[in-house]
């Protein structure tokens, strides 16, 4: 999949990658199969609610959430706010992400917040961005109301 290709959040063919089986975390080079969008969990949970079934797989780990997005899309991601980062294989930068085994579904340690499945793989970066923008706006309103 290249940056101009349409994103399939519900692929009709099996994903080219699957999470590890067994009991060990696998360290995966970002960009080969997918890029990653990392966000703080409080914003991520709101975004997940807004995305609903449109969310692809999400990894969670001690206050952070990692969405799998199509490979090549991180380099086009425009910053939203501190703490939200697009991680991909662009230029000389090499990034790795720890991926939990397929059956790790509870935290707070590394686990699947939304597991990879036949109908859940990649998240459309445009829809994810929109959900995060709305989450940031809601957080700002709540913060102003609390003052």
């Amino acid at each position: 999949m290249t940056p101009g290709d349409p994103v399939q959040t519900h692929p009709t063919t099996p994903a080219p990658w699957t999470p590890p089986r067994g009991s060990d975390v696998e360290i995966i080079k970002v960009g080969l199969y997918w890029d990653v969008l990392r966000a703080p969990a409080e914003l991520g949970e709101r975004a997940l609610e807004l995305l609903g079934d449109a969310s692809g797989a999400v990894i969670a780990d001690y206050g952070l959430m990692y969405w799998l997005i199509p490979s090549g899309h991180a380099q086009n991601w425009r910053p939203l706010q501190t703490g939200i980062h697009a991680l991909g294989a662009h230029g000389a930068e090499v990034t790795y992400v720890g991926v939990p085994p397929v059956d790790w579904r509870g935290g707070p340690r590394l686990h699947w917040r939304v597991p990879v499945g036949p109908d859940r793989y990649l998240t459309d970066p445009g829809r994810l961005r929109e959900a995060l923008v709305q989450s940031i706006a809601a957080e700002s309103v709540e913060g102003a109301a609390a003052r």
Side-chain angles (χ1 to χ4, degrees):
M1 192 171 277
T2 59
D5 291 345
V7 176
Q8 293 184 11
T9 55
H10 302 285
T12 56
T13 59
W17 171 86
T18 57
R21 305 231 177 253
S23 60
D24 292 328
V25 171
E26 188 174 333
I27 304 301
I28 302 288
K29 182 178 178 181
V30 176
L32 183 58
Y33 303 107
W34 31 255
D35 286 350
V36 171
L37 192 287
R38 181 180 70 203
E42 56 275 3
L43 288 176
E45 288 296 336
R46 274 195 183 106
L48 203 52
E49 286 179 28
L50 292 167
L51 286 166
D53 288 339
S55 180
V58 181
I59 298 169
D61 188 23
Y62 291 104
L64 293 171
M65 294 175 74
Y66 299 81
W67 271 266
L68 304 184
I69 62 174
S71 186
H73 283 266
Q75 66 191 16
N76 301 322
W77 188 271
R78 289 171 285 128
L80 289 173
Q81 79 171 36
T82 303
I84 298 175
H85 300 283
L87 308 172
H90 28 64
E93 181 182 326
V94 177
T95 306
Y96 294 87
V97 171
V99 178
V102 70
D103 61 347
W104 286 14
R105 307 253 173 117
R109 67 182 181 146
L110 189 68
H111 67 282
W112 288 101
R113 176 65 180 81
V114 178
V116 170
D119 62 341
R120 296 238 190 224
Y121 184 48
L122 302 175
T123 301
D124 180 288
R127 291 183 85 170
L128 178 55
R129 181 178 191 79
E130 183 180 315
L132 286 167
V133 165
Q134 290 178 26
S135 298
I136 292 166
E139 184 179 72
S140 296
V141 168
E142 289 174 8
R147 290 185 213 138

